[in-house]
Amino acid sequence: MKESEVNMIRINDIRKRYGSVQALDGVSFTIGKGEIFGLLGPNGAGKSTLIRIMTGLTRADSGSAAIGGDDVGGKSFQIKSLIGIVPQENNLDRELTVEENMRIYGKLYRIDNLRQRIGEALRDVELLDRRDALVSGLSGGMKRRLMVARALLNDPAVLFLDEPSIGLDPQIRRQLWQIVRKIGKSGRTVFLTTHYIEEAEMLCDRIGILRKGQLMVLDTPSALMNMVGAYAVDQIDDAGNLIQHSANSREEAHEIVCGLENGGTVRKTNLEDVFIKLTGERIE
Ligand code: ADP
């Protein structure tokens, strides 16, 4: 098997500086075919900069990024046929219908069998029945799904989603996650950035935590949570401060609670605990 089939994305020691800000400070990782990968980190961590470099919109100061075995800096035309991008901002034309928005984009990118591809992409995001609806009448969740459909038009091997569910209600967010999961199952690699812990935890096969331009850890959600123990105890001390204890089992957590004067609450560990353990800070 070719290396590019195993590692669809390969990032090697990427660095990028804006003036005095080191936005990316030596980031390296690989992502496999069909994997849903989430880059999690607080605002300003460097997530968007990394996506911009991987999609050829910005050049890195040093290091390399390859998609499907091709260097992103070198053959950007070839890379464009491999990727679909869903940006954070809604850039749909609200005066046009769903189909017209897809058609304009498809013509711009010279997509073959455009009518058929539009149908397939709208079906993938469950918007086929809205083909003739005006974008101005769609809900926020539908608009986001339309942006995903548009990014799928060229049948990309890798789909990039920059903060896919930002601004969406929790329930709408879940619908979008289901669709993204389906896209991953169909064999495409999905690369998303998020600052929502739950989004990373629920959706991603593996998660990288980025902070101040550096990748702190990269692993499956369960392996990351095992780093801090499976259970946590939240204790409020006399001064009203939250103190967190970690435990490897529910029993151990209950023993900790019994030893606390004011008691405490037992819960399962989440990725925020991992982040706090690694950085001493909250993610948002
Ligand atoms: P995130 O997507 O994780 O919020 P960004 O990649 O947008 O982070 O930003 C990382 C850092 O780089 C931030 O400090 C941001 O202010 C800075 N930055 C990003 N883009 C630019 C730019 N075009 N010019 C100057 N500074 C930038």
Side-chain angles (χ1 to χ4, degrees):
M1 208 185 292
K2 276 176 25 193
E3 191 259 349
S4 58
E5 284 167 14
V6 186
N7 291 325
M8 185 52 87
I9 297 178
R10 189 165 38 74
I11 301 295
N12 186 31
D13 201 20
I14 292 273
R15 288 168 204 274
K16 176 77 181 176
R17 173 183 281 275
Y18 292 108
S20 61
V21 176
Q22 190 71 46
L24 293 171
D25 192 10
V27 175
S28 305
F29 56 82
T30 55
I31 302 175
K33 185 174 184 295
E35 188 170 3
I36 301 182
F37 177 81
L39 192 62
L40 178 70
N43 282 327
K47 305 182 295 296
S48 298
T49 303
L50 189 56
I51 274 208
R52 290 175 62 78
I53 289 170
M54 291 164 76
T55 53
L57 293 172
T58 303
R59 272 184 177 276
D61 297 338
S62 62
S64 64
I67 295 182
D70 290 327
D71 197 10
V72 173
K75 312 170 192 162
S76 66
F77 182 75
Q78 220 160 310
I79 296 296
K80 281 203 175 79
S81 68
L82 279 178
I83 64 176
I85 308 169
V86 183
Q88 261 184 55
E89 330 74 52
N90 171 354
N91 56 3
L92 300 166
D93 191 328
R94 37 181 291 119
E95 307 302 327
L96 299 181
T97 66
V98 166
E99 164 125 27
E100 286 164 347
N101 266 277
M102 297 284 277
R103 191 160 282 285
I104 286 178
Y105 196 82
K107 288 243 163 81
L108 202 63
Y109 287 92
R110 304 191 177 162
I111 308 280
D112 294 333
N113 302 326
L114 186 54
R115 200 182 150 72
Q116 185 190 334
R117 279 300 306 148
I118 289 175
E120 287 167 356
L122 288 177
R123 194 195 50 221
D124 286 348
V125 303
E126 297 169 16
L127 274 184
L128 205 48
D129 58 339
R130 300 287 170 142
R131 206 169 178 141
D132 298 319
L134 277 180
V135 166
S136 56
L138 299 182
S139 67
M142 286 178 187
K143 285 183 191 141
R144 201 64 57 87
R145 271 149 54 194
L146 176 54
M147 286 175 65
V148 174
R150 209 176 48 174
L152 291 175
L153 262 183
N154 62 337
D155 196 13
V158 182
L159 183 66
F160 287 94
L161 301 154
D162 196 1
E163 297 276 358
S165 67
I166 201 159
L168 299 181
D169 294 342
Q171 194 197 340
I172 307 293
R173 219 174 264 176
R174 277 162 206 279
Q175 278 174 7
L176 186 72
W177 294 348
Q178 260 179 19
I179 285 167
V180 173
R181 234 179 257 127
K182 223 170 52 185
I183 291 170
K185 282 214 177 97
S186 74
R188 295 185 214 278
T189 300
V190 179
F191 184 102
L192 63 94
T193 68
T194 185
H195 68 283
Y196 292 124
I197 304 250
E198 198 193 358
E199 179 159 78
E201 206 171 306
M202 301 289 287
L203 193 53
C204 300
D205 299 316
R206 283 192 311 154
I207 294 165
I209 296 183
L210 195 67
R211 177 178 176 258
K212 295 187 179 163
Q214 293 187 337
L215 193 64
M216 311 208 60
V217 283
L218 191 160
D219 217 323
T220 60
S222 57
L224 289 177
M225 287 187 271
N226 281 339
M227 284 174 56
V228 293
Y231 288 87
V233 175
D234 292 333
Q235 174 203 3
I236 307 291
D237 72 7
D238 290 340
N241 299 314
L242 174 66
I243 300 174
Q244 291 175 323
H245 308 264
S246 51
N248 290 319
S249 66
R250 192 177 278 278
E251 293 71 33
E252 192 182 325
H254 282 293
E255 273 172 33
I256 292 173
V257 173
C258 291
L260 299 173
E261 207 171 306
N262 299 332
T265 316
V266 175
R267 61 174 174 82
K268 286 203 152 180
T269 296
N270 60 39
L271 281 177
E272 177 135 36
D273 299 315
V274 179
F275 191 78
I276 291 171
K277 171 103 172 180
L278 288 171
T279 68
E281 295 168 19
R282 296 201 162 268
I283 208 155
E284 282 164 303

